[in-house]
């Protein structure tokens, strides 16, 4: 896991609400596996052919990733537009980097991020 889990808990309670309120980040809305409660998580999401790619800063074991994988769907709000995403799958950096546009900055190697979440845009 690239980033320590305790830092994720700090982010969830302190920084994520501020990030959502700022409107500068894409926000993923997903449903809890057990609770059924909706959750909103700000993140770095990049458009790729047919969908979006998300950098998994805390790895694929994060609660939000497990929620999305369990439900098979999520909503992503980008620049005020709500997008329905389906078919979530964890991909490695080779597939992720091949899908990303050349101008998108890659995560620093020092973070040791090796997993990304790819999701498809749902048919309208």
């Amino acid at each position: 896991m690239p980033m320590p889990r305790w830092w994720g808990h700090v982010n969830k309670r302190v920084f994520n609400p501020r990030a959502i309120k700022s409107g500068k980040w894409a926000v993923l809305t997903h449903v809890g596996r057990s609770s059924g409660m909706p959750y909103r998580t700000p993140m770095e999401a990049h458009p790729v052919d047919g969908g979006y790619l998300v950098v998994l800063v805390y790895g694929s074991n994060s609660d939000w990733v497990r929620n999305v994988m369990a439900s098979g769907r999520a909503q992503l709000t980008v620049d005020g537009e709500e997008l329905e995403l389906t078919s979530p799958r964890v991909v490695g950096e080779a597939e992720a980097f091949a899908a990303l546009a050349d101008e998108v900055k890659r995560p620093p190697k020092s973070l040791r991020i090796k997993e990304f979440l790819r999701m498809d845009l749902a048919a309208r």
Side-chain angles (χ1 to χ4, degrees):
M1 178 172 57
M3 297 290 283
R5 234 172 173 21
W6 64 266
W7 184 247
H9 295 292
V10 170
N11 267 343
K12 186 187 300 186
R13 286 170 182 73
V14 178
F15 297 110
N16 285 2
R18 292 179 187 169
I20 291 169
K21 189 175 180 181
S22 78
K24 296 178 183 178
W25 294 89
V27 177
L28 190 80
T29 303
H30 51 96
V31 177
R33 298 179 305 285
S34 301
S35 69
M37 297 283 296
Y39 293 98
R40 299 179 68 208
T41 306
M43 60 188 51
E44 184 179 345
H46 301 283
V48 295
D49 187 34
Y52 275 81
L53 185 77
V54 176
V55 178
L56 297 182
V57 176
Y58 300 101
S60 59
N61 240 0
S62 298
D63 281 336
W64 75 263
V65 177
R66 293 170 51 200
N67 290 343
V68 171
M69 296 297 284
S71 71
R73 61 185 332 102
Q75 292 77 41
L76 185 68
T77 304
V78 180
D79 297 327
E81 183 180 1
E82 297 235 351
L83 306 167
E84 184 73 24
L85 300 175
T86 63
S87 306
R89 57 208 178 273
V90 176
V91 299
E93 68 181 327
E95 183 177 338
F97 290 174
L100 286 172
D102 291 337
E103 64 272 7
V104 174
K105 288 179 69 173
R106 280 29 179 187
K109 288 186 187 284
S110 61
L111 292 181
R112 300 183 317 244
I113 295 172
K114 303 290 183 199
E115 296 178 310
F116 300 79
L117 188 69
R118 185 161 182 174
M119 292 179 276
D120 300 331
L121 286 168
R124 292 190 182 221

